[in-house]
Each structure stands twice: as structure tokens, then as C-alpha cells.
Amino acid sequence: MRALLLALMAFLLVPARAQVHRFSLGNGLRVVLLEAHERPLVRARLHLSLGGEDRPKACPDLPERIQAQMDRGECASHTGPEFKRILANRGIELTGTTTADAMDWRILARSRDQDEALGLLADLLLRPVLDPLSWPKSGGISWDQMLASRSRILNPRLGVLVLHGDLGLEQAKRLVLLSLGTWSGAAAARTTPAPASPSPEIRALRGLLQGEEAGPARPFLQSDLNLARSAWLGRQTLLTLEPEAQMGQALEEALGRAPRWERMVALTLDDLNRQEPPPNHP
């Protein structure tokens, strides 16, 4: 009886899984909404994929330099100090990061401040105040080249916006359209990245079995494969406990990089143990 009560309590403590909606704007921006009304909070994550041409040899840290410009918060609506003061007064968290293959912004705000929060991000993207004097002459590329690259990188067709929290589908459509509906970018072609190797399923299983190690200390066994599959399934159920994990999963699915169970079941032990050639291997 006690075990039954504990199981029931555990079930009641797990929040309901967010309802998933997907839509796109006319400018090409893809949007995923994870609707969850348990708390009066809204989270947003804007992900812009980077290509090899976005890190030219003359300036390989170009995306980081563009991010640093945006971090100043100078836009047509507010000066940098005013921008930061609004964030602090409203309790809005807005942070930007750049990785090897993406630029990423995250927002956390009360649901009543969602319009202002996404509007501030739109100000940084669409209405920045850019100072040529802030661009170092030793930067490897000219100011005009930087502006052209910025227009190519900050392109809604390369973006995925994930929303999570206390807003419905129609509300989300209105919010995104008003904030980012006028966003446009350069029409320059983007190099298509090569398919990931190994597959998302193999990366997920190996990650569960060996963590951050470069390779297995021994060949994997069938028992390892079975254990990793079970662990991955268990991990999926925990996504309902963490909004950021749900958003990360939704982003990976939108980018086509999320592991899929049907492909994971089809993997063999030989697949798991196969060694991939290093990058740029002939």
C-alpha cells in the first residue's frame, strides 16, 4: 500500500508534458512552441546556425565579435545602459552565446513581460546602433565586409525559435509576428553542412556509455547496447522535469539532429563499435 502511495505521489509531482506546436513566419523563421501553463513564466531560445563561410580565415572569430557588439545593448530604442536597466527592472534574463556552429540567445521572463522581452531581443537583431569606430582595423576584414557578413549570419531563414511556457498558440503567433515578422536577411546561399558522423543515435548511446571520453576502452558488448538503450528511454521521461531540457530536445528535433527511437532500435553492435574516420579524412 505504501509503495502504491509513493508511486502515486511521484506521478502527481511530475508536471504534464508540454503541448507542442510548430509554425513558421513568412520570412522563413521556424518556431516551436512548448505550451505549459504550470507557472507564469515564458522562456525563449533563438538559435542561428553558422556555416564555414561565417568564420573566414581572415577573421575566424567574426561571430564572437558580432555577438560582442550586440552585448553592448545599443539600439535605436535604448542606449546600452538603458537597455540593461530595463532588463534589471523587469527581471528579464537575456543572454547571448556563440559556439563553433551557432549563435544562440536565451530569454527568461514573467509571462506578463513576454512582449517586452522578445521585443528587446528584436531591437538587438533589427535595430542595432553600430559604431564603425568600435570595429578594430586589425580585425582581418573591413567594416563593410563585417556588415555584409552580419546580414548573412543574422538571417531568419537560418533560425529556429523555441518558446516554452505560459502562452497559447495564437498568442505565440501574435508575439513572434509583432516582434520578428519584419526581420529579413541577405539572400546569399549557405553551404550545406555534411551529414553528422556518427549518427545522432550512436552519439547518444556512446555518450551514455563513455561520457566525455574520446573512445571506448574496450569494444562494447551487447549488454552495453541494451543498457544504453534503456538508459536513453529513461532519460527521455525526465525531459518533463526541466524546461531547458525540453527546449534543447525540441531544437535538436527541428534541426534534424535528435536521436530517434526507431533508428536506435535498428542499430547493431557493429554500428556501435565502428570507428569513424577523423574529420577531413580523404
Side-chain angles (χ1 to χ4, degrees):
M1 184 66 178
R2 181 182 179 187
L4 180 60
L5 288 174
L6 290 175
L8 179 60
M9 290 175 62
F11 174 79
L12 293 174
L13 288 174
V14 174
R17 192 171 183 86
Q19 186 176 0
V20 182
H21 308 278
R22 296 179 178 85
F23 62 94
S24 298
L25 295 188
N27 57 16
L29 178 66
R30 291 174 288 166
V31 184
V32 182
L33 167 64
L34 305 176
E35 183 178 353
H37 299 283
E38 288 81 13
R39 296 173 182 167
L41 295 173
V42 169
R43 289 175 167 84
R45 179 176 177 182
L46 176 62
H47 178 97
L48 287 177
S49 298
L50 296 173
E53 59 268 47
D54 299 325
R55 293 186 178 277
K57 290 183 179 180
C59 187
D61 63 341
L62 176 61
E64 284 79 9
R65 294 188 180 212
I66 292 175
Q67 179 70 68
Q69 282 187 330
M70 299 177 73
D71 285 344
R72 293 168 52 231
E74 296 287 347
C75 55
S77 305
H78 311 286
T79 65
E82 289 172 345
F83 190 92
K84 292 176 173 58
R85 188 160 52 248
I86 292 172
L87 292 177
N89 290 342
R90 295 288 191 273
I92 298 171
E93 295 180 16
L94 195 169
T95 56
T97 57
T98 302
T99 62
D101 59 0
M103 296 182 73
D104 209 281
W105 291 267
R106 298 173 191 245
I107 291 173
L108 174 61
R110 292 170 295 187
S111 53
R112 70 186 188 189
D113 296 321
Q114 59 188 281
D115 293 66
E116 186 162 19
L118 204 60
L120 290 171
L121 175 58
D123 283 341
L124 293 182
L125 291 169
L126 312 183
R127 294 171 284 277
V129 174
L130 303 175
D131 180 8
L133 297 179
S134 68
W135 187 254
K137 294 182 179 179
S138 60
I141 63 175
S142 69
W143 175 255
D144 289 340
Q145 288 174 317
M146 185 280 294
L147 291 179
S149 296
R150 187 183 190 281
S151 180
R152 183 185 66 245
I153 291 171
L154 302 184
N155 189 325
R157 289 187 291 276
L158 304 174
V160 177
L161 175 66
V162 182
L163 301 170
H164 178 287
D166 187 25
L167 69 169
L169 177 58
E170 294 307 315
Q171 188 179 8
K173 287 181 177 180
R174 179 193 62 81
L175 171 66
V176 179
L177 182 62
L178 289 178
S179 299
L180 301 172
T182 61
W183 183 14
S184 61
R190 166 66 59 80
T191 301
T192 303
S197 179
S199 69
E201 292 74 28
I202 291 178
R203 288 202 307 273
L205 293 180
R206 287 179 181 173
L208 289 168
L209 290 170
Q210 66 194 43
E212 300 297 324
E213 297 176 19
R218 57 171 175 77
F220 294 118
L221 306 176
Q222 185 63 43
S223 58
D224 296 321
L225 178 55
N226 295 339
L227 177 64
R229 284 172 175 160
S230 298
W232 186 84
L233 273 180
R235 193 172 177 179
Q236 294 303 103
T237 64
L238 295 178
L239 290 177
T240 57
L241 300 175
E242 175 53 56
E244 289 293 338
Q246 292 181 46
M247 296 175 72
Q249 178 76 4
L251 176 61
E252 291 297 296
E253 290 175 356
L255 296 172
R257 302 191 311 214
R260 294 187 178 276
W261 177 245
E262 60 271 19
R263 294 199 298 252
M264 196 171 285
V265 171
L267 288 177
T268 67
L269 194 57
D270 287 341
D271 294 327
L272 194 62
N273 282 311
R274 184 176 296 118
Q275 295 298 311
E276 288 76 25
N280 302 321
H281 189 275

Short mmCIF file of all heavy atoms in Angstrom, two decimals, residues 200-229:
data_model
loop_
_atom_site.label_atom_id
_atom_site.label_comp_id
_atom_site.label_asym_id
_atom_site.label_seq_id
_atom_site.Cartn_x
_atom_site.Cartn_y
_atom_site.Cartn_z
N PRO A 200 23.18 10.69 -34.87
CA PRO A 200 22.72 11.14 -33.54
C PRO A 200 22.47 9.99 -32.58
O PRO A 200 22.72 10.10 -31.39
CB PRO A 200 21.43 11.90 -33.85
CG PRO A 200 21.55 12.33 -35.27
CD PRO A 200 22.33 11.24 -35.95
N GLU A 201 21.97 8.86 -33.10
CA GLU A 201 21.68 7.71 -32.23
C GLU A 201 22.96 7.13 -31.65
O GLU A 201 23.04 6.83 -30.44
CB GLU A 201 20.93 6.64 -33.03
CG GLU A 201 19.52 7.04 -33.45
CD GLU A 201 19.48 8.03 -34.58
OE1 GLU A 201 20.44 8.04 -35.40
OE2 GLU A 201 18.52 8.80 -34.65
N ILE A 202 23.99 6.96 -32.49
CA ILE A 202 25.25 6.41 -32.00
C ILE A 202 25.91 7.38 -31.02
O ILE A 202 26.44 6.97 -29.98
CB ILE A 202 26.19 6.09 -33.18
CG1 ILE A 202 25.63 4.90 -33.97
CG2 ILE A 202 27.60 5.78 -32.69
CD1 ILE A 202 26.45 4.54 -35.19
N ARG A 203 25.87 8.69 -31.33
CA ARG A 203 26.46 9.66 -30.40
C ARG A 203 25.76 9.62 -29.05
O ARG A 203 26.41 9.69 -28.00
CB ARG A 203 26.37 11.07 -31.00
CG ARG A 203 27.30 11.31 -32.16
CD ARG A 203 27.57 12.81 -32.36
NE ARG A 203 26.34 13.57 -32.48
CZ ARG A 203 25.69 13.76 -33.62
NH1 ARG A 203 26.14 13.22 -34.73
NH2 ARG A 203 24.59 14.47 -33.66
N ALA A 204 24.43 9.50 -29.06
CA ALA A 204 23.68 9.47 -27.80
C ALA A 204 24.04 8.23 -26.98
O ALA A 204 24.28 8.32 -25.77
CB ALA A 204 22.18 9.50 -28.09
N LEU A 205 24.08 7.07 -27.62
CA LEU A 205 24.37 5.83 -26.89
C LEU A 205 25.81 5.82 -26.39
O LEU A 205 26.07 5.43 -25.24
CB LEU A 205 24.12 4.62 -27.80
CG LEU A 205 22.66 4.38 -28.20
CD1 LEU A 205 22.55 3.15 -29.09
CD2 LEU A 205 21.77 4.22 -26.98
N ARG A 206 26.74 6.24 -27.23
CA ARG A 206 28.14 6.28 -26.78
C ARG A 206 28.32 7.27 -25.64
O ARG A 206 29.09 7.04 -24.71
CB ARG A 206 29.05 6.65 -27.94
CG ARG A 206 29.23 5.54 -28.98
CD ARG A 206 30.14 6.01 -30.09
NE ARG A 206 30.32 4.99 -31.12
CZ ARG A 206 30.95 5.19 -32.27
NH1 ARG A 206 31.47 6.39 -32.53
NH2 ARG A 206 31.08 4.22 -33.14
N GLY A 207 27.61 8.40 -25.73
CA GLY A 207 27.72 9.39 -24.65
C GLY A 207 27.26 8.83 -23.32
O GLY A 207 27.85 9.12 -22.27
N LEU A 208 26.20 8.02 -23.33
CA LEU A 208 25.70 7.41 -22.10
C LEU A 208 26.67 6.36 -21.56
O LEU A 208 26.78 6.17 -20.35
CB LEU A 208 24.33 6.78 -22.34
CG LEU A 208 23.17 7.77 -22.55
CD1 LEU A 208 21.95 7.03 -23.06
CD2 LEU A 208 22.85 8.50 -21.26
N LEU A 209 27.39 5.69 -22.47
CA LEU A 209 28.27 4.60 -22.05
C LEU A 209 29.66 5.07 -21.65
O LEU A 209 30.28 4.49 -20.77
CB LEU A 209 28.39 3.57 -23.18
CG LEU A 209 27.14 2.73 -23.47
CD1 LEU A 209 27.31 1.95 -24.75
CD2 LEU A 209 26.85 1.79 -22.29
N GLN A 210 30.16 6.13 -22.31
CA GLN A 210 31.55 6.51 -22.07
C GLN A 210 31.73 7.97 -21.67
O GLN A 210 32.85 8.41 -21.47
CB GLN A 210 32.38 6.22 -23.32
CG GLN A 210 32.00 7.09 -24.53
CD GLN A 210 32.59 6.57 -25.82
OE1 GLN A 210 32.60 5.38 -26.08
NE2 GLN A 210 33.11 7.47 -26.63
N GLY A 211 30.65 8.72 -21.55
CA GLY A 211 30.76 10.11 -21.12
C GLY A 211 31.54 10.92 -22.13
O GLY A 211 31.29 10.85 -23.33
N GLU A 212 32.51 11.70 -21.64
CA GLU A 212 33.27 12.60 -22.50
C GLU A 212 34.54 11.96 -23.03
O GLU A 212 35.36 12.62 -23.65
CB GLU A 212 33.65 13.88 -21.72
CG GLU A 212 32.45 14.67 -21.22
CD GLU A 212 31.59 15.17 -22.36
OE1 GLU A 212 32.17 15.54 -23.41
OE2 GLU A 212 30.36 15.19 -22.21
N GLU A 213 34.75 10.67 -22.81
CA GLU A 213 35.96 10.02 -23.28
C GLU A 213 36.01 10.03 -24.80
O GLU A 213 35.00 9.99 -25.48
CB GLU A 213 36.03 8.58 -22.77
CG GLU A 213 36.10 8.47 -21.25
CD GLU A 213 36.07 7.02 -20.79
OE1 GLU A 213 36.35 6.13 -21.63
OE2 GLU A 213 35.77 6.78 -19.62
N ALA A 214 37.25 10.04 -25.34
CA ALA A 214 37.41 10.09 -26.78
C ALA A 214 36.97 8.80 -27.45
O ALA A 214 36.50 8.79 -28.58
CB ALA A 214 38.87 10.38 -27.13
N GLY A 215 37.11 7.68 -26.79
CA GLY A 215 36.74 6.40 -27.39
C GLY A 215 36.61 5.35 -26.32
O GLY A 215 37.07 5.53 -25.18
N PRO A 216 36.00 4.21 -26.64
CA PRO A 216 35.81 3.16 -25.64
C PRO A 216 37.13 2.50 -25.27
O PRO A 216 38.01 2.31 -26.11
CB PRO A 216 34.86 2.19 -26.35
CG PRO A 216 35.12 2.40 -27.81
CD PRO A 216 35.46 3.85 -27.95
N ALA A 217 37.27 2.17 -23.98
CA ALA A 217 38.48 1.48 -23.53
C ALA A 217 38.48 0.03 -24.01
O ALA A 217 39.52 -0.60 -24.07
CB ALA A 217 38.57 1.52 -22.00
N ARG A 218 37.32 -0.48 -24.38
CA ARG A 218 37.17 -1.85 -24.87
C ARG A 218 36.00 -1.87 -25.84
O ARG A 218 35.18 -0.95 -25.84
CB ARG A 218 36.88 -2.80 -23.71
CG ARG A 218 35.63 -2.40 -22.92
CD ARG A 218 35.20 -3.44 -21.92
NE ARG A 218 34.09 -2.98 -21.10
CZ ARG A 218 32.82 -2.91 -21.51
NH1 ARG A 218 32.50 -3.29 -22.74
NH2 ARG A 218 31.87 -2.48 -20.70
N PRO A 219 35.91 -2.87 -26.68
CA PRO A 219 34.73 -2.94 -27.55
C PRO A 219 33.45 -3.06 -26.73
O PRO A 219 33.43 -3.72 -25.68
CB PRO A 219 34.99 -4.22 -28.37
CG PRO A 219 36.47 -4.44 -28.29
CD PRO A 219 36.89 -3.93 -26.94
N PHE A 220 32.41 -2.41 -27.19
CA PHE A 220 31.13 -2.52 -26.50
C PHE A 220 30.56 -3.92 -26.69
O PHE A 220 30.77 -4.58 -27.72
CB PHE A 220 30.14 -1.48 -27.05
CG PHE A 220 30.53 -0.06 -26.76
CD1 PHE A 220 30.80 0.82 -27.80
CD2 PHE A 220 30.64 0.39 -25.45
CE1 PHE A 220 31.15 2.13 -27.54
CE2 PHE A 220 30.99 1.71 -25.19
CZ PHE A 220 31.25 2.58 -26.23
N LEU A 221 29.80 -4.36 -25.69
CA LEU A 221 29.14 -5.65 -25.73
C LEU A 221 27.65 -5.46 -25.96
O LEU A 221 27.12 -4.34 -25.85
CB LEU A 221 29.38 -6.39 -24.41
CG LEU A 221 30.84 -6.58 -23.96
CD1 LEU A 221 30.89 -7.24 -22.59
CD2 LEU A 221 31.62 -7.38 -25.00
N GLN A 222 26.95 -6.55 -26.28
CA GLN A 222 25.52 -6.46 -26.47
C GLN A 222 24.83 -5.96 -25.22
O GLN A 222 23.85 -5.20 -25.29
CB GLN A 222 24.96 -7.83 -26.86
CG GLN A 222 23.46 -7.81 -27.21
CD GLN A 222 23.16 -6.95 -28.43
OE1 GLN A 222 23.90 -7.02 -29.42
NE2 GLN A 222 22.10 -6.16 -28.37
N SER A 223 25.35 -6.35 -24.05
CA SER A 223 24.77 -5.86 -22.79
C SER A 223 24.92 -4.35 -22.67
O SER A 223 24.04 -3.67 -22.12
CB SER A 223 25.42 -6.56 -21.60
OG SER A 223 26.83 -6.34 -21.60
N ASP A 224 26.03 -3.79 -23.20
CA ASP A 224 26.21 -2.33 -23.18
C ASP A 224 25.16 -1.65 -24.05
O ASP A 224 24.56 -0.63 -23.67
CB ASP A 224 27.61 -1.96 -23.69
CG ASP A 224 28.72 -2.48 -22.81
OD1 ASP A 224 28.56 -2.44 -21.59
OD2 ASP A 224 29.75 -2.90 -23.36
N LEU A 225 24.94 -2.21 -25.23
CA LEU A 225 23.96 -1.65 -26.15
C LEU A 225 22.57 -1.67 -25.53
O LEU A 225 21.83 -0.67 -25.58
CB LEU A 225 23.97 -2.42 -27.46
CG LEU A 225 22.97 -1.99 -28.54
CD1 LEU A 225 23.10 -0.50 -28.86
CD2 LEU A 225 23.15 -2.83 -29.80
N ASN A 226 22.21 -2.80 -24.91
CA ASN A 226 20.89 -2.91 -24.29
C ASN A 226 20.75 -1.91 -23.14
O ASN A 226 19.70 -1.27 -22.98
CB ASN A 226 20.66 -4.33 -23.77
CG ASN A 226 20.62 -5.35 -24.89
OD1 ASN A 226 20.38 -5.01 -26.04
ND2 ASN A 226 20.89 -6.61 -24.56
N LEU A 227 21.81 -1.78 -22.32
CA LEU A 227 21.78 -0.87 -21.19
C LEU A 227 21.64 0.58 -21.66
O LEU A 227 20.87 1.36 -21.09
CB LEU A 227 23.07 -1.03 -20.37
CG LEU A 227 23.24 -0.08 -19.18
CD1 LEU A 227 22.15 -0.32 -18.13
CD2 LEU A 227 24.62 -0.25 -18.56
N ALA A 228 22.39 0.94 -22.71
CA ALA A 228 22.34 2.32 -23.19
C ALA A 228 20.97 2.66 -23.76
O ALA A 228 20.46 3.76 -23.56
CB ALA A 228 23.42 2.53 -24.25
N ARG A 229 20.36 1.71 -24.47
CA ARG A 229 19.01 1.97 -24.99
C ARG A 229 18.02 2.21 -23.86
O ARG A 229 17.21 3.14 -23.91
CB ARG A 229 18.56 0.77 -25.84
CG ARG A 229 19.18 0.68 -27.22
CD ARG A 229 18.79 -0.62 -27.87
NE ARG A 229 19.26 -0.72 -29.25
CZ ARG A 229 19.40 -1.88 -29.88
NH1 ARG A 229 19.10 -3.02 -29.28
NH2 ARG A 229 19.82 -1.90 -31.14
#
